[in-house]
Amino acid sequence: DTAVSQTPKYLVTQMGNDKSIKCEQNLGHDTMYWYKQDSKKFLKIMFSYNNKELIINETVPNRFSPKSPDKAHLNLHINSLELGDSAVYFCASSPTGMNTEAFFGQGTRLTVV
Amino acid sequence: AQSVSQHNHHVILSEAASLELGCNYSYGGTVNLFWYVQYPGQHLQLLLKYFSGDPLVKGIKGFEAEFIKSKFSFNLRKPSVQWSDTAEYFCAVRTGANNLFFGTGTRLTVIP
Protein backbone atom coordinates (compact mmCIF):
# COMPACT_ATOMS: atom_id res chain seq x y z
CA ASP A 1 0.00 0.00 0.00
CA THR A 2 1.27 3.43 -0.92
CA ALA A 3 1.68 5.55 2.20
CA VAL A 4 1.29 8.98 0.60
CA SER A 5 -0.36 8.97 -2.79
CA GLN A 6 -0.88 11.85 -5.18
CA THR A 7 -2.99 12.04 -8.29
CA PRO A 8 -2.41 12.72 -11.05
CA LYS A 9 1.27 11.96 -11.55
CA TYR A 10 1.44 14.16 -14.64
CA LEU A 11 -0.73 17.13 -15.51
CA VAL A 12 -0.46 19.19 -18.68
CA THR A 13 -2.82 22.11 -19.02
CA GLN A 14 -3.22 25.47 -20.68
CA MET A 15 -2.72 28.84 -19.10
CA GLY A 16 -5.78 30.18 -17.40
CA ASN A 17 -7.25 26.80 -16.53
CA ASP A 18 -8.14 25.63 -13.03
CA LYS A 19 -6.79 22.30 -11.84
CA SER A 20 -6.61 20.19 -8.69
CA ILE A 21 -4.07 17.77 -7.32
CA LYS A 22 -5.21 15.23 -4.78
CA CYS A 23 -3.22 13.81 -1.89
CA GLU A 24 -4.10 11.04 0.49
CA GLN A 25 -2.11 9.41 3.27
CA ASN A 26 -2.92 6.17 5.04
CA LEU A 27 -0.34 6.55 7.81
CA GLY A 28 -2.68 8.09 10.36
CA HIS A 29 -0.63 11.29 10.43
CA ASP A 30 -2.08 14.56 11.68
CA THR A 31 0.10 16.92 9.65
CA MET A 32 0.20 17.24 5.88
CA TYR A 33 2.22 19.51 3.61
CA TRP A 34 2.46 20.76 0.07
CA TYR A 35 5.84 21.56 -1.45
CA LYS A 36 6.76 23.03 -4.81
CA GLN A 37 9.95 21.88 -6.51
CA ASP A 38 11.06 24.12 -9.32
CA SER A 39 13.29 23.31 -12.28
CA LYS A 40 16.39 23.93 -10.17
CA LYS A 41 15.20 21.32 -7.67
CA PHE A 42 14.57 23.89 -4.96
CA LEU A 43 11.94 22.56 -2.54
CA LYS A 44 9.76 25.26 -1.08
CA ILE A 45 7.11 24.62 1.51
CA MET A 46 3.75 26.04 0.46
CA PHE A 47 1.33 24.92 3.13
CA SER A 48 1.09 22.75 6.17
CA TYR A 49 -2.08 21.53 7.80
CA ASN A 50 -2.58 19.95 11.17
CA ASN A 51 -5.85 18.12 11.77
CA LYS A 52 -7.49 19.96 8.86
CA GLU A 53 -6.36 23.34 10.16
CA LEU A 54 -4.02 25.58 8.14
CA ILE A 55 -0.77 26.14 10.01
CA ILE A 56 1.66 27.49 7.43
CA ASN A 57 0.96 29.52 4.32
CA GLU A 58 4.30 30.56 2.88
CA THR A 59 3.70 33.57 0.64
CA VAL A 60 1.81 31.56 -1.91
CA PRO A 61 -0.45 33.40 -4.38
CA ASN A 62 -4.14 33.34 -3.59
CA ARG A 63 -4.67 31.30 -6.73
CA PHE A 64 -3.46 28.33 -4.71
CA SER A 65 -6.05 27.03 -2.29
CA PRO A 66 -5.49 23.91 -0.22
CA LYS A 67 -8.48 21.98 1.02
CA SER A 68 -8.43 19.36 3.74
CA PRO A 69 -11.75 17.52 3.96
CA ASP A 70 -10.31 15.23 6.64
CA LYS A 71 -6.91 14.70 8.15
CA ALA A 72 -6.04 11.97 5.65
CA HIS A 73 -6.50 14.24 2.63
CA LEU A 74 -4.97 17.52 1.54
CA ASN A 75 -5.89 18.61 -1.96
CA LEU A 76 -4.39 21.52 -3.83
CA HIS A 77 -6.53 23.60 -6.14
CA ILE A 78 -4.93 26.09 -8.47
CA ASN A 79 -6.92 28.78 -10.26
CA SER A 80 -5.94 30.67 -13.39
CA LEU A 81 -2.79 28.67 -14.01
CA GLU A 82 0.30 30.56 -15.15
CA LEU A 83 3.44 29.41 -16.93
CA GLY A 84 5.43 29.94 -13.73
CA ASP A 85 3.31 27.37 -11.93
CA SER A 86 5.02 24.62 -13.91
CA ALA A 87 6.86 22.51 -11.36
CA VAL A 88 6.71 19.26 -9.46
CA TYR A 89 4.37 19.42 -6.49
CA PHE A 90 5.00 17.08 -3.58
CA CYS A 91 2.60 16.18 -0.84
CA ALA A 92 3.97 14.94 2.46
CA SER A 93 2.69 13.90 5.85
CA SER A 94 4.10 13.44 9.32
CA PRO A 95 2.90 12.78 12.83
CA THR A 96 2.54 15.94 14.88
CA GLY A 97 5.58 16.91 16.88
CA MET A 98 9.18 17.92 16.53
CA ASN A 99 10.63 14.40 16.67
CA THR A 100 8.99 13.14 13.54
CA GLU A 101 9.99 12.62 9.93
CA ALA A 102 7.95 13.44 6.88
CA PHE A 103 6.92 10.94 4.26
CA PHE A 104 6.58 12.12 0.69
CA GLY A 105 4.34 11.27 -2.18
CA GLN A 106 5.63 10.52 -5.67
CA GLY A 107 5.03 14.05 -6.87
CA THR A 108 2.84 15.59 -9.54
CA ARG A 109 4.59 17.14 -12.51
CA LEU A 110 2.50 20.11 -13.61
CA THR A 111 3.23 21.61 -17.00
CA VAL A 112 1.41 24.77 -18.00
CA VAL A 113 1.50 25.55 -21.72
CA ALA B 1 13.25 33.67 9.69
CA GLN B 2 14.88 30.30 9.60
CA SER B 3 16.87 29.22 6.57
CA VAL B 4 18.84 26.22 5.44
CA SER B 5 21.94 26.57 3.27
CA GLN B 6 23.63 23.96 1.18
CA HIS B 7 26.69 25.54 -0.34
CA ASN B 8 27.60 22.74 -2.72
CA HIS B 9 25.33 23.00 -5.72
CA HIS B 10 26.80 20.16 -7.76
CA VAL B 11 29.41 17.67 -6.63
CA ILE B 12 31.09 15.28 -9.03
CA LEU B 13 33.05 12.35 -7.63
CA SER B 14 34.59 9.15 -8.87
CA GLU B 15 33.43 5.88 -7.36
CA ALA B 16 35.13 5.07 -4.03
CA ALA B 17 35.83 8.72 -3.31
CA SER B 18 34.77 10.14 0.03
CA LEU B 19 31.83 12.50 0.23
CA GLU B 20 31.01 15.42 2.45
CA LEU B 21 28.05 17.69 1.77
CA GLY B 22 27.64 20.84 3.79
CA CYS B 23 24.47 22.01 5.50
CA ASN B 24 24.07 25.07 7.69
CA TYR B 25 20.93 26.45 9.23
CA SER B 26 20.04 29.70 10.85
CA TYR B 27 17.76 29.30 13.83
CA GLY B 28 18.62 29.90 17.46
CA GLY B 29 16.18 27.50 19.06
CA THR B 30 15.82 23.75 19.20
CA VAL B 31 15.98 22.06 15.83
CA ASN B 32 15.59 18.61 14.44
CA LEU B 33 17.68 17.86 11.39
CA PHE B 34 17.27 15.57 8.42
CA TRP B 35 18.92 14.52 5.21
CA TYR B 36 16.70 13.33 2.40
CA VAL B 37 17.74 11.84 -0.93
CA GLN B 38 15.90 12.11 -4.24
CA TYR B 39 16.96 9.61 -6.89
CA PRO B 40 16.27 10.66 -10.48
CA GLY B 41 12.55 10.78 -11.16
CA GLN B 42 11.61 9.67 -7.67
CA HIS B 43 10.23 11.15 -4.48
CA LEU B 44 12.21 12.12 -1.42
CA GLN B 45 13.35 9.41 0.95
CA LEU B 46 14.82 9.83 4.41
CA LEU B 47 18.53 9.09 4.73
CA LEU B 48 18.97 9.96 8.38
CA LYS B 49 17.75 12.22 11.14
CA TYR B 50 18.96 13.89 14.31
CA PHE B 51 16.65 14.63 17.21
CA SER B 52 18.90 14.52 20.27
CA GLY B 53 21.73 12.58 21.88
CA ASP B 54 24.85 11.47 20.03
CA PRO B 55 25.57 14.19 17.45
CA LEU B 56 26.96 11.61 15.04
CA VAL B 57 24.07 9.82 13.44
CA LYS B 58 24.16 6.93 11.04
CA GLY B 59 21.65 6.41 8.30
CA ILE B 60 20.92 4.04 5.50
CA LYS B 61 23.34 3.03 2.74
CA GLY B 62 26.44 3.91 4.72
CA PHE B 63 25.66 7.59 5.17
CA GLU B 64 26.30 9.47 8.38
CA ALA B 65 25.99 13.06 9.52
CA GLU B 66 27.40 15.10 12.34
CA PHE B 67 25.50 17.79 14.18
CA ILE B 68 27.78 20.59 15.38
CA LYS B 69 25.59 22.92 17.37
CA SER B 70 28.20 25.67 17.70
CA LYS B 71 28.53 25.83 13.93
CA PHE B 72 24.83 25.37 13.17
CA SER B 73 25.89 22.60 10.84
CA PHE B 74 24.75 19.12 9.92
CA ASN B 75 27.11 17.82 7.26
CA LEU B 76 26.50 14.57 5.44
CA ARG B 77 29.33 12.12 4.88
CA LYS B 78 30.02 8.81 3.22
CA PRO B 79 33.49 7.24 3.16
CA SER B 80 33.17 5.62 -0.27
CA VAL B 81 30.50 6.57 -2.79
CA GLN B 82 29.01 4.31 -5.41
CA TRP B 83 27.53 5.06 -8.80
CA SER B 84 24.10 4.31 -7.34
CA ASP B 85 24.50 7.27 -4.95
CA THR B 86 23.97 9.64 -7.87
CA ALA B 87 21.02 11.71 -6.72
CA GLU B 88 19.89 15.03 -5.28
CA TYR B 89 20.51 15.44 -1.55
CA PHE B 90 18.47 17.75 0.64
CA CYS B 91 19.14 18.93 4.14
CA ALA B 92 16.02 19.83 6.14
CA VAL B 93 15.30 21.50 9.45
CA ARG B 94 12.28 21.26 11.68
CA THR B 95 11.92 24.19 14.07
CA GLY B 96 8.36 23.46 15.14
CA ALA B 97 5.80 20.73 15.16
CA ASN B 98 4.25 21.55 11.83
CA ASN B 99 7.04 22.81 9.63
CA LEU B 100 9.94 21.31 7.69
CA PHE B 101 12.22 23.61 5.74
CA PHE B 102 14.56 22.37 3.05
CA GLY B 103 17.87 23.57 1.73
CA THR B 104 18.42 24.21 -1.95
CA GLY B 105 19.75 20.71 -2.55
CA THR B 106 23.07 19.32 -3.77
CA ARG B 107 23.30 17.27 -6.90
CA LEU B 108 25.77 14.42 -6.56
CA THR B 109 27.11 12.78 -9.69
CA VAL B 110 29.25 9.70 -9.21
CA ILE B 111 31.35 8.66 -12.17
CA PRO B 112 31.95 4.91 -12.52
Side-chain angles (χ1 to χ4, degrees), chain A residues 5-12 20-22 87-90 105-111, chain B residues 41-43:
Chain A
S5 60
Q6 297 177 228
T7 53
K9 192 172 181 180
Y10 300 97
L11 183 55
V12 181
S20 293
I21 306 172
K22 295 185 177 181
V88 180
Y89 292 83
F90 285 98
Q106 296 283 342
T108 296
R109 182 175 294 277
L110 170 66
T111 304
Chain B
Q42 296 191 24
H43 65 294

Side-chain angles (χ1 to χ4, degrees), chain A residues 9 30-31 33 35 37 39-45 48-50 55-56 58 88 90 94-107, chain B residues 2 4 9 30-32 34 36 38 40-46 49-52 88 90 94-105 107:
Chain A
K9 192 172 181 180
D30 293 326
T31 303
Y33 315 78
Y35 288 86
Q37 186 175 47
S39 58
K40 295 182 179 178
K41 300 293 187 181
F42 179 52
L43 260 174
K44 181 174 168 54
I45 189 168
S48 81
Y49 267 71
N50 181 265
I55 303 298
I56 290 177
E58 285 280 318
V88 180
F90 285 98
S94 71
T96 301
M98 282 282 291
N99 295 354
T100 61
E101 67 182 84
F103 294 80
F104 283 78
Q106 296 283 342
Chain B
Q2 55 272 12
V4 186
H9 180 64
T30 301
V31 295
N32 286 349
F34 307 82
Y36 281 83
Q38 185 179 28
Q42 296 191 24
H43 65 294
L44 280 84
Q45 304 169 43
L46 183 71
K49 59 192 176 189
Y50 173 80
F51 293 160
S52 64
E88 197 87 21
F90 294 92
R94 189 188 282 287
T95 62
N98 298 303
N99 65 41
L100 186 61
F101 298 99
F102 282 84
T104 50
R107 179 183 299 178

Side-chain angles (χ1 to χ4, degrees), chain A residues 2-3 19 25 37 49 58 61-62 71 75 79 81 99 101 113:
Chain A
T2 304
K19 290 293 178 186
Q25 54 95 4
Q37 186 175 47
Y49 267 71
E58 285 280 318
N62 291 338
K71 72 175 193 177
N75 303 324
N79 290 327
L81 278 154
N99 295 354
E101 67 182 84
V113 298

